[in-house]
Amino acid sequence: MAKQQQEVRDLQEGSYVMIDDAACKINSYSTAKPGKHGSAKARVEAEGVFDGKKRSLSQPVDAKIWVPIIERKQGQVVSVDGSDMQVMDLETYETITMRVPEDQDVSPDDNIEYLEMDDQRKIV
Amino acid sequence: MFPGATDYRTDGSDDTGRAADSEDANFVVVGAPLDASTTFQPGTRFGPRRIRTFAETFDDYDRRTDQYFSDCGVADRGDVRAWDDVDEYLEWLTGTLRDVVRDDAVPLTLGGEHTVSLAGARAVEPEVVVSLDAHLDLRDAYDGNPLSHASVMRRILDDTDSVEELVVLGARTGSEAEWDRATEADVTVVAPEDVAAWTAPDSLADRDVYLSVDIDAADPAYAPGTGTMEPFGLEPREMRNAVRQVAPHATGFDVVEVNDRDDGQAAALAGKLLREFVFLKAADRS
């Protein structure tokens, strides 16, 4: 999996983080003041990029954490076959098969944007 | 640790910082020792500790519901340390309580000043809030502070999307503007003398309810350890009746405004009402 390590303190709302081995987009980031004891902690609430599941973590701000590398790509729909569609990557011109999202109508020649991490993709 | 509760933070914390046994708890006690906007006698920062201490003498067994408190699945995650940026603290506390809600447990928050109920309501997202309180707490701001303990019910009504209705039991004082706000359709005020006979309306049955107990709802004779005492208050048994009425419908609970300025009366009553809530809710589940 494409990922890199960061400190919790470098996370921010809108960026990505791995929680429970799932790539998540951060919805909220808050920190607790530590007073005279312990270290500052951060709390992250996030939503799975590919499964939509809400997850949270609470860690010291200097803890190391994995951040997934997610690419935003452009593609063009080549053909639609039932619930699957063929999409051509507009950079590499390779053709990939993707599931048609339930809430969207797509037809050939549509340009779409999607997020890609390894072999997981999600249309935005 | 609340007597009879297990530790919410075991050694088996996973790498997300959550406790290994958190998913087994039915109720989670969370201390919220906020003491920032107290306007007369301070000391709510000692509330959670006092409540836990004065609950030590209570029997594990409850005759009325034939249950042991230690069998009810109550865990205690300790206190969420408070600091003076109330807005920031409430955000942090809300997240902590939201984790409890996501674990399918009922948060039991120990105040702290009444302001912490805003975090409870944000986390639980109830449709109705029932508050036992001497005060209306409907000020838009107190001393210019919209996050004052005297404004908490106004913040919950106006700023928490899910909340449709507020019921205040035992209220006996407020500013003219607060009483005016209380005449609107989304607020019901039950006077102290009417609380003994009060029963939960049918409208609570199919809605999520958050129950907040401000210990100053009790007459100061019974709970002197609180910041703003208001005479002509409720009898402890009347408060217990109200808790029993609401508990089966409630998905979140707090008891607030206990300080350390008495011999434990306020804290003992607070701990007893929390246990009453747990026994009723646990009996309702089984």
Side-chain angles (χ1 to χ4, degrees):
Chain A
M1 179 185 297
K3 56 184 183 181
Q4 60 188 20
Q5 207 168 42
Q6 276 191 356
E7 284 194 347
V8 170
R9 75 174 85 242
D10 299 325
L11 299 173
Q12 51 190 334
E13 283 167 31
S15 67
Y16 299 111
V17 65
M18 298 295 294
I19 304 177
D20 299 338
D21 294 327
C24 299
K25 186 175 183 178
I26 297 173
N27 295 330
S28 80
Y29 176 91
S30 55
T31 51
K33 299 291 179 288
K36 293 183 178 179
H37 308 286
S39 64
K41 279 186 116 181
R43 206 172 164 286
V44 169
E45 288 199 21
E47 200 172 299
V49 175
F50 301 105
D51 64 3
K53 202 172 147 196
K54 287 191 161 61
R55 297 177 177 87
S56 66
L57 66 82
S58 168
Q59 290 256 4
V61 292
D62 55 358
K64 295 275 192 289
I65 193 140
W66 289 106
V67 173
I69 296 168
I70 297 178
E71 289 189 72
R72 181 178 282 260
K73 298 185 129 180
Q74 312 280 336
Q76 188 176 52
V77 180
V78 179
S79 63
V80 181
D81 175 22
S83 61
D84 286 339
M85 58 182 177
Q86 298 286 322
V87 176
M88 183 175 70
D89 184 320
L90 289 177
E91 271 175 39
T92 64
Y93 300 118
E94 67 178 308
T95 306
I96 43 184
T97 306
M98 286 166 76
R99 193 159 283 278
V100 178
E102 286 172 11
D103 53 350
Q104 287 186 22
D105 240 359
V106 293
S107 45
D109 295 333
D110 280 0
N111 280 349
I112 56 167
E113 266 197 343
Y114 59 97
L115 300 173
E116 182 179 84
M117 185 183 85
D118 300 334
D119 56 355
Q120 298 186 91
R121 296 179 187 88
K122 183 188 169 54
I123 295 177
V124 288
Chain B
M1 177 83 69
F2 195 91
T6 56
D7 194 346
Y8 193 65
R9 294 174 296 175
T10 61
D11 298 341
S13 289
D14 61 19
D15 58 6
T16 58
R18 283 197 294 272
D21 67 349
S22 61
E23 286 169 16
D24 301 334
N26 299 325
F27 305 90
V28 178
V29 175
V30 177
L34 184 66
D35 194 357
S37 79
T38 41
T39 42
F40 183 53
Q41 294 188 311
T44 51
R45 67 192 59 195
F46 303 114
R49 190 189 313 168
R50 295 276 286 187
I51 295 169
R52 290 184 182 101
T53 299
F54 285 93
E56 283 173 18
T57 59
F58 299 143
D59 274 308
D60 196 16
Y61 179 66
D62 179 59
R63 183 65 180 162
R64 188 165 166 271
T65 61
D66 191 28
Q67 295 176 106
Y68 284 87
F69 187 80
S70 55
D71 289 340
C72 291
V74 184
D76 189 339
R77 83 160 299 288
D79 289 358
V80 177
R81 184 188 169 274
W83 63 97
D84 55 3
D85 186 329
V86 175
D87 202 7
E88 215 179 55
Y89 176 67
L90 290 175
E91 187 185 351
W92 180 262
L93 179 63
T94 301
T96 307
L97 297 172
R98 202 177 286 134
D99 281 346
V100 172
V101 173
R102 282 208 195 125
D103 283 338
D104 291 327
V106 177
L108 309 171
T109 307
L110 307 177
E113 60 177 72
H114 209 160
T115 315
V116 302
S117 297
L118 183 53
R122 285 173 178 171
V124 170
E125 296 181 330
E127 292 148 293
V128 185
V129 173
V130 178
S131 177
L132 279 154
D133 199 336
H135 311 87
L136 292 169
D137 285 356
L138 286 170
R139 290 168 196 269
D140 193 32
Y142 187 84
D143 285 346
N145 177 11
L147 290 176
S148 163
H149 68 101
S151 307
V152 62
M153 289 302 146
R154 184 67 177 269
R155 288 288 78 70
I156 287 174
L157 266 181
D158 290 359
D159 305 349
T160 311
D161 291 342
S162 65
V163 177
E164 303 162 350
E165 195 185 332
L166 169 68
V167 180
V168 191
L169 304 172
R172 47 198 182 269
T173 186
S175 68
E176 188 178 354
E178 285 179 280
W179 284 110
D180 286 346
R181 178 68 182 83
T183 60
E184 290 181 33
D186 56 354
V187 182
T188 306
V189 179
V190 180
E193 55 271 27
D194 299 328
V195 171
W198 183 79
T199 53
D202 294 341
S203 61
L204 295 192
D206 50 1
R207 296 201 287 172
D208 278 347
V209 181
Y210 184 86
L211 175 59
S212 177
V213 177
D214 183 331
I215 208 68
D216 70 24
D219 191 88
Y222 300 110
T226 192
T228 44
M229 286 182 264
E230 189 70 30
F232 315 130
L234 299 176
E235 298 279 327
R237 275 196 291 266
E238 292 169 345
M239 294 176 77
R240 185 180 65 180
N241 169 59
V243 169
R244 284 178 180 170
Q245 289 290 325
V246 179
H249 312 294
T251 48
F253 172 88
D254 67 50
V255 59
V256 298
E257 294 286 341
V258 172
N259 68 22
D260 61 333
R261 291 169 171 262
D262 66 3
D263 292 324
Q265 298 93 314
L269 178 57
K272 202 72 184 170
L273 291 172
L274 179 146
R275 285 167 45 103
E276 196 66 30
F277 177 88
V278 168
F279 283 132
L280 259 288
K281 190 83 191 152
D284 193 57
R285 281 184 170 197
S286 56

